[in-house]
Amino acid sequence: MCGGPVAELRQAWISLHTSGADVLPLLVNACSGACLVSLPSPPEDDVPTWHRGGRDLVQPPVW
C-alpha cells in the first residue's frame, strides 16, 4: 500500500470506486497498522471501513 518495508504483512479488504460508478472489493497488502488507518473511506452504502472479512462481518442492506 505505502511502499514501505514489510516487517509483518497485514491484509485487509476495502471497497472503493475504481472508475465511474464501479465499486470493487480490493485486497490491501499493508506494511503497518498506520498504513491501514490511512486508507480512503469506502462509499457510503458499503462497509464503512477496511475489514478482514469473515462470517461476522455485517454488510449494509441493499435497497
Side-chain angles (χ1 to χ4, degrees), residues 22-44:
D22 295 336
V23 176
L24 296 176
L26 305 172
L27 180 61
V28 176
N29 290 317
C31 63
S32 68
C35 191
L36 287 173
V37 171
S38 71
L39 290 172
S41 297
E44 284 184 24

Side-chain angles (χ1 to χ4, degrees), residues 7-61:
E8 179 183 338
L9 181 62
R10 298 164 189 247
Q11 291 187 318
W13 288 98
I14 189 165
S15 295
L16 296 175
H17 284 286
T18 55
S19 63
D22 295 336
V23 176
L24 296 176
L26 305 172
L27 180 61
V28 176
N29 290 317
C31 63
S32 68
C35 191
L36 287 173
V37 171
S38 71
L39 290 172
S41 297
E44 284 184 24
D45 56 347
D46 213 309
V47 178
T49 186
W50 60 268
H51 56 85
R52 304 226 188 260
R55 300 180 98 188
D56 297 332
L57 180 66
V58 177
Q59 297 282 341

